[in-house]
């Protein structure tokens, strides 16, 4: 489980096709001696397992590297299939018992890919309008929570399949959202509680 509070922004170093999967190598600011094989780390909201890691000696500001395998399903239903070397990646390590839950509970299981329709900047903040896949729009509600590229965000307004969010300067500075623009594809995970609520309504109708 995750909280949707991004703890680092890494850079994708390489993409190596291996049959139906791709091995991705990412540079990060996580100390390598704090990583572990098999650990879960969210990459732009996608929970992936570390299959390799080590220290980084290059003078580029990053202190470690790690590798993950993106399987065929992940490549098909998330933006991971289009990631390329040089891309910036939102990172979050898995929640530990006792950690502060500052965002909302995020599973790291992306539901679909949304599209950024427009961006409007003002007072160092940014207002985004996003188009959700039709089948997921029913789970998005005004003042509710969504995870977009792994970032826990509050929905401002909803109009059919479109919704808006407002990002403060801090979020723009410490995540990849500062570089987001119209046309970008975004990993979307809807709030689990919204899914349960929708299912209860359906069950009542049945």
């Amino acid at each position: 489980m995750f909280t949707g509070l991004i703890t680092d922004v890494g850079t994708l170093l390489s993409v190596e096709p291996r049959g139906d999967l791709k091995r991705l190598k990412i540079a990060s600011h996580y100390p390598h001696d704090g990583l572990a094989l098999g650990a879960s780390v969210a990459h732009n909201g996608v929970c992936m397992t570390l299959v390799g890691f080590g220290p980084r000696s290059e003078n580029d500001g990053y202190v470690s590297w790690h590798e993950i395998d993106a399987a065929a399903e992940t490549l098909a239903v998330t933006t991971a299939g289009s990631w390329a070397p040089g891309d910036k990646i939102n990172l979050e390590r898995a929640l530990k018992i006792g950690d502060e839950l500052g965002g909302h509970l995020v599973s790291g299981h992306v539901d679909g890919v949304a599209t950024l329709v427009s961006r409007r900047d003002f007072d160092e903040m940014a207002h985004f309008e996003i188009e959700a896949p039709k089948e997921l729009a029913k789970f998005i509600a005004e003042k509710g929570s969504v995870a977009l590229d792994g970032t826990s965000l509050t929905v401002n307004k909803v109009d059919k399949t479109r919704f808006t969010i407002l990002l403060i300067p801090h979020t723009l500075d410490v995540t990849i959202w500062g570089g987001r623009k119209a046309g970008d594809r975004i990993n979307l995970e809807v709030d689990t509680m919204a899914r349960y609520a929708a299912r209860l309504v359906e069950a009542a109708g049945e």
Side-chain angles (χ1 to χ4, degrees), residues 30-189:
Y30 295 138
H32 79 278
D33 55 3
L35 300 175
L37 289 177
S40 295
V41 176
H43 296 71
N44 281 356
V46 186
C47 178
M48 294 183 174
T49 301
L50 267 58
V51 296
F53 65 91
R56 187 167 173 79
S57 58
E58 286 80 355
N59 188 25
D60 57 5
Y62 294 109
V63 299
S64 68
W65 61 267
H66 64 264
E67 292 181 324
I68 53 175
D69 286 336
E73 176 71 7
T74 299
L75 297 172
V77 303
T78 75
T79 62
S82 62
W83 296 349
D87 285 352
K88 300 296 183 182
I89 307 290
N90 281 334
L91 301 174
E92 182 188 356
R93 300 187 65 180
L95 181 66
K96 296 179 181 178
I97 298 298
D99 284 352
E100 180 179 347
L101 183 59
H104 72 283
L105 287 176
V106 176
S107 70
H109 302 157
V110 171
D111 294 300
V113 176
T115 301
L116 202 165
V117 177
S118 67
R119 171 176 178 162
R120 179 171 59 89
D121 291 85
F122 63 98
D123 296 335
E124 300 185 26
M125 297 183 289
H127 177 274
F128 296 90
E129 183 178 19
I130 295 166
E131 177 84 24
K134 184 176 180 180
E135 66 275 14
L136 298 177
K138 65 181 178 180
F139 301 117
I140 300 172
E142 187 172 321
K143 307 305 179 187
S145 296
V146 289
L148 298 171
D149 275 344
T151 314
S152 174
L153 296 167
T154 300
V155 176
N156 294 136
K157 294 186 180 300
V158 177
D159 183 10
K160 298 179 181 177
T161 58
R162 292 190 178 185
F163 64 97
T164 62
I165 57 172
L166 179 66
L167 270 65
I168 61 174
H170 176 76
T171 305
L172 295 171
D173 288 341
V174 302
T175 73
I176 64 173
W177 279 95
R180 281 301 190 202
K181 60 186 183 304
D184 284 351
R185 299 167 69 245
I186 302 165
N187 288 324
L188 167 64
E189 180 184 333

